[in-house]
Amino acid sequence: MLEVTGLRVAYGGIQAVRGITFHVNQGEMVALIGANGAGKTSTLKALARLLNAAGGSVRYCGKEISRLEPHQLISEGIALVPEGRGVFPRMSIVENLLMGAYSRHDKDGIAADSAHVFSLFPRLKERSQQLAGTLSGGEQQMLAIGRALMSRPKLLLLDEPSMGLAPLMVQKIFEVIRTVADEGMTVLLVEQNAKLALEVSQRGYVMESGEITLTDEAAKLLANPKVREAYLGE
Amino acid sequence: MDIFIQQIINGLVLGSIYALVALGYTMVYGIMGLINFAHGEVVMIGAMVALMVIKLLVNSGLPVFIIILIALAAAVAVCMAVGYSIERIAYRPLRRAPKLAPLITAIGVSIILQNLAMLVWGRNYHAFPPILPTSEHDIFGATITSLQVAIVLIAALMMTGLIILIHRTRLGRAMRATSENPPIAQLMGVNINQIISFTFVIGSALAAVAGLMVSANYSIAHYYMGFMLGLKAFTAAVLGGIGNIAGAVLGGILLGLIESLGAGYIGDLTGGFLGSHYQDIFAFFVLIGVLIFRPSGLIGEKVSERA
């Protein structure tokens, strides 16, 4: 579904991503793990067209998307839940969800999907008229994921959904991510929390200083001594 | 007491006009952090176009109401086109430039438009043809003309419409989302360039209406009228809290009142040393005062140094 070949991202003269190649199959959840500064977020931003790639190709459903405008991706079926959540703080929960559905015009479908999001995150429903800026970090993460789902994406890109959250909240968020994946969503998950990410994914890629150094089935990566030492703190 | 009420009425009329213009400043600032100093010139162009159309049609035998409506439509159309072009030609190429570049460009655009207007319409003052009904109404010993009533009502109507647009529609949501976080708004599928163009077009339409109001109210228009009006409306936007829609309305009306009351009493206050033609100083006292004591404006949020 997503095929990334030789992707490079540079900030000025500094290469953050040095020609990486990976793919995500339809219906699969793939984890991209690595330490802070390994280039994971730059990779996602380049996929979402928030950054210009310095080279390489990104093919999605057979179509080259690395030259699209950022606002065109969502109608292709790609939604990004950005690092740091990026909810609109001065808009209510409902309005944030409606922004997620901005590219759609089917009123009934939008209503049905927001009901679905509220069933995934009952806590959001209780506060639907509250401004997003007044929510806790975990609630904002729920909202960011819910908002991304509102576009009815085919491919969901998640950037560090566990960042800065209490363990209990992380668990809740990951339960929902798992649920969404089980419903058939294709997910690319970028995480520093390697254990968590690999536990919910089918396959994984390990990124180090802008390069992919290791790839395998998630369960095998979890058992890999190198990974255990470097990312699981053993 | 009569003077007091009269000045309150004058202030409300003036303030309604300031508010309409201030909305243009504040919307553009809210969306892209730019102070569009050329906005006053758009008001001037609106006034000039409307006046030209009225002069053209004044002997046509059409009813006054229709003439005004045609003039207004022409002014709105021209101003929308001008506003769109300003953004497209002058500001869009500078989207990624440091904030100072578009700011200086804005001043340049303002000078260019002034000079173009001078070439087209000349350096003279143009009198507004006396076609409007001059009926006056008494309120508590003060007088208000039908024109003044119309100005306040139309301004109120347009501001209500704008607030509904921004808070109740899909387009308004996209505008607010862009103003809060442009990259994330893009992720949602918002075409930022379209939203910015739209913001300029709407602001310019309000400016065109304000232009007709000013020239009708003072019975005069000239190529230089946008400069001072623009500065004052900018002051009004800062007073209310720039970037804040309700703030622009509040700031505009307050500034109108301050100026009118100031002009009414400045003679008494200074023992006749300064006359009412010094009314312009009040706007700038207000601007300096706000910048020193409450830079975020009356109902604005604290914003970090942006321009």
Side-chain angles (χ1 to χ4, degrees):
Chain A
M1 183 174 222
L2 182 73
E3 272 176 78
V4 178
T5 319
L7 180 71
R8 288 188 292 117
V9 179
Y11 297 94
I14 300 153
Q15 287 218 1
V17 179
R18 304 159 179 267
I20 60 170
T21 296
F22 66 95
H23 69 276
V24 181
N25 297 323
Q26 171 103 39
E28 193 180 35
M29 169 127 77
V30 172
L32 186 59
I33 60 173
N36 204 359
K40 308 183 302 291
T41 291
S42 300
T43 303
L44 273 200
K45 279 192 171 167
L47 294 184
R49 300 290 300 117
L50 292 179
L51 280 177
N52 276 322
S57 97
V58 180
R59 294 181 76 79
Y60 165 78
C61 296
K63 180 178 171 186
E64 179 67 41
I65 57 164
S66 58
R67 290 281 170 272
L68 289 182
E69 294 287 322
H71 64 94
Q72 291 172 320
L73 280 173
I74 198 125
S75 33
E76 296 287 333
I78 303 177
L80 168 68
V81 179
E83 184 181 17
R85 312 181 259 281
V87 295
F88 299 112
R90 276 171 293 171
M91 294 169 88
S92 70
I93 289 183
V94 170
E95 285 183 314
N96 267 277
L97 292 180
L98 284 173
M99 277 313 295
Y102 181 77
S103 57
R104 297 171 58 184
H105 295 278
D106 54 326
K107 260 196 164 166
D108 298 343
I110 293 172
D113 284 359
S114 71
H116 179 60
V117 167
F118 283 142
S119 75
L120 287 172
F121 300 111
R123 200 193 279 240
L124 294 183
K125 190 175 185 179
E126 293 160 23
R127 318 177 171 207
S128 61
Q129 296 304 325
Q130 206 171 312
L131 293 185
T134 65
L135 300 176
S136 75
E139 289 160 349
Q140 290 191 13
Q141 186 65 59
M142 293 174 176
L143 180 56
I145 294 174
R147 185 181 61 180
L149 294 176
M150 287 301 291
S151 67
R152 226 178 243 189
K154 291 179 213 129
L155 173 63
L156 186 62
L157 310 174
L158 294 168
D159 197 354
E160 304 275 10
S162 78
M163 195 168 76
L165 301 186
L168 205 68
M169 190 57 88
V170 171
Q171 211 165 31
K172 267 190 194 159
I173 299 269
F174 270 75
E175 273 167 29
V176 172
I177 294 174
R178 194 59 255 176
T179 309
V180 170
D182 288 342
E183 287 169 1
M185 181 78 69
T186 311
V187 183
L188 176 60
L189 170 64
V190 159
E191 257 296 345
Q192 267 188 71
N193 189 333
K195 182 167 184 285
L196 205 59
L198 291 173
E199 277 170 0
V200 293
S201 303
Q202 277 108 47
R203 287 191 303 117
Y205 292 90
V206 179
M207 223 174 151
E208 263 172 74
S209 337
E211 289 171 32
I212 287 180
T213 51
L214 205 58
T215 174
D216 209 334
E217 283 168 32
K220 288 187 181 158
L221 282 178
L222 267 176
N224 186 316
K226 265 197 221 157
V227 175
R228 298 186 76 91
E229 190 187 343
Y231 302 106
L232 305 179
E234 288 178 17
Chain B
M1 193 60 198
D2 294 356
I3 295 184
F4 181 75
I5 292 174
Q6 188 63 57
Q7 293 309 83
I8 294 271
I9 291 172
N10 293 346
L12 282 177
V13 174
L14 191 59
S16 307
I17 298 173
Y18 287 161
L20 282 183
V21 183
L23 282 168
Y25 279 98
T26 227
M27 282 196 295
V28 165
Y29 185 86
I31 292 261
M32 52 195 278
L34 163 73
I35 293 164
N36 175 20
F37 277 118
H39 191 58
E41 264 53 64
V42 179
V43 180
M44 174 271 292
I45 291 172
M48 285 300 199
V49 170
L51 197 60
M52 291 308 111
V53 173
I54 290 174
K55 276 186 176 174
L56 214 71
L57 296 178
V58 71
N59 293 320
S60 66
L62 288 168
V64 171
F65 178 70
I66 301 291
I67 295 181
I68 297 287
L69 219 57
I70 295 174
L72 191 62
V76 167
V78 170
C79 285
M80 282 175 153
V82 169
Y84 175 83
S85 314
I86 292 174
E87 192 277 323
R88 192 72 187 78
I89 297 168
Y91 302 143
R92 192 172 297 183
L94 299 172
R95 201 58 58 73
R96 282 155 204 264
K99 293 274 181 205
L100 200 55
L103 195 69
I104 293 168
T105 306
I107 296 170
V109 171
S110 163
I111 295 171
I112 290 171
L113 289 178
Q114 255 177 45
N115 282 278
L116 282 178
M118 191 180 75
L119 289 175
V120 173
W121 290 297
R123 309 181 63 106
N124 297 329
Y125 286 70
H126 296 266
F128 197 91
I131 57 167
L132 294 169
T134 49
S135 55
E136 292 180 348
H137 313 275
D138 277 338
I139 308 178
F140 306 117
T143 55
I144 183 164
T145 65
S146 307
L147 173 66
Q148 289 178 314
V149 175
I151 288 177
V152 174
L153 287 183
I154 293 172
L157 202 71
M158 298 196 66
M159 290 186 248
T160 314
L162 183 73
I163 286 171
I164 290 173
L165 171 80
I166 288 177
H167 287 280
R168 291 274 177 273
T169 67
R170 175 171 179 271
L171 187 64
R173 264 200 306 278
M175 288 172 74
R176 282 184 290 143
T178 305
S179 140
E180 289 195 21
N181 193 336
I184 303 289
Q186 279 183 304
L187 283 181
M188 305 294 121
V190 176
N191 182 342
I192 302 245
N193 282 333
Q194 249 175 30
I195 295 292
I196 290 176
S197 289
F198 180 79
T199 305
F200 272 83
V201 166
I202 290 288
S204 302
L206 297 180
V209 178
L212 177 57
M213 287 174 172
V214 178
S215 59
N217 196 36
Y218 294 114
S219 297
I220 213 162
H222 55 103
Y223 79 97
Y224 200 62
M225 67 187 279
F227 178 71
M228 188 56 88
L229 184 65
L231 280 182
K232 287 190 184 165
F234 167 65
T235 302
V238 171
L239 171 62
I242 193 150
N244 185 310
I245 299 285
V249 175
L250 179 70
I253 289 172
L254 272 180
L255 189 67
L257 289 172
I258 291 168
E259 245 188 58
S260 279
L261 290 172
Y265 290 104
I266 189 171
D268 296 345
L269 288 175
T270 59
F273 181 62
L274 297 176
S276 62
H277 50 281
Y278 276 94
Q279 67 163 341
D280 290 349
I281 63 175
F282 293 105
F284 301 108
F285 274 134
V286 167
L287 181 60
I288 293 167
V290 171
L291 290 178
I292 292 174
F293 297 109
R294 201 172 159 83
S296 56
L298 292 175
I299 50 179
E301 285 151 56
K302 284 228 159 73
V303 282
S304 50
E305 199 88 354
R306 281 226 276 188

